[in-house]
């Protein structure tokens, strides 16, 4: 049982590393643009801050807290995606970064549930 939890934690950490990269790319794209809707900027800042907390929670191996934090991240990712789909004027790079980030968050969520 302990081995299973360790294996799962390693997989979650690996997947979360991809999520962190995607959040970083979206945040970078956001700071490179002038006219980013404030809701999108807010989502990305919150994702960036919360991703630091998720790392600690993953280390704790507390499944319920991990699921809750991942769900919270995914909800922020959903909000960011909605802004992109709302007709907001975004560069293709910004839109692509947000959609990639959302995809990574969704995969992480499926992995922890």
């Amino acid at each position: 049982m302990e081995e299973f939890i360790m294996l799962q934690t390693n997989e979650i950490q690996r997947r979360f590393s991809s999520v962190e990269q995607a959040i970083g790319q979206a945040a970078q794209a956001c700071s490179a643009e002038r006219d980013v809707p404030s809701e999108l900027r807010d989502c990305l800042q919150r994702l960036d801050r919360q991703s630091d907390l998720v790392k600690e929670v993953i280390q704790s191996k507390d499944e319920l807290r991990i699921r809750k934090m991942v769900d919270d991240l995914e909800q922020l990712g959903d909000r960011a995606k909605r802004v992109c789909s709302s007709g907001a004027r975004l560069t293709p790079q910004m839109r692509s970064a947000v959609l990639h980030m959302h995809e990574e968050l969704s995969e992480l969520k499926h992995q922890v549930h």
Side-chain angles (χ1 to χ4, degrees):
M1 182 69 178
E2 184 67 30
E3 282 180 42
F4 173 75
I5 292 170
M6 285 298 295
L7 180 65
Q8 192 176 14
T9 301
N10 288 339
E11 277 302 307
I12 291 169
Q13 284 173 324
R14 216 179 345 275
R15 166 68 52 208
F16 186 68
S17 179
S18 297
V19 166
E20 276 186 308
Q21 277 187 322
I23 291 171
Q25 289 167 349
Q28 231 176 357
C30 183
S31 37
E33 289 197 31
R34 268 191 224 151
D35 299 327
V36 175
S38 58
E39 184 179 6
L40 180 55
R41 193 176 301 279
D42 177 58
C43 285
L44 293 174
Q45 288 170 345
R46 290 176 62 191
L47 278 161
D48 199 29
R49 284 193 304 269
Q50 283 193 335
S51 68
D52 293 337
L53 298 172
V54 173
K55 247 192 287 200
E56 294 172 24
V57 174
I58 290 172
Q59 292 302 317
S60 77
K61 297 180 177 72
D62 181 338
E63 281 185 55
L64 292 177
R65 284 184 65 210
I66 291 170
R67 283 190 184 123
K68 168 83 174 93
M69 298 282 302
V70 168
D71 288 349
D72 291 349
L73 284 177
E74 209 232 355
Q75 285 178 354
L76 284 169
D78 286 346
R79 273 183 57 204
K81 182 181 177 187
R82 270 195 306 276
V83 173
C84 284
S85 304
S86 71
R89 288 182 164 197
L90 299 170
T91 63
Q93 293 87 347
M94 182 76 231
R95 193 176 308 278
S96 171
V98 170
L99 295 178
H100 173 67
M101 175 195 70
H102 182 266
E103 193 176 295
E104 290 289 341
L105 284 165
S106 293
E107 287 181 33
L108 175 64
K109 182 179 177 182
H110 288 298
Q111 187 171 9
V112 299
H113 280 281

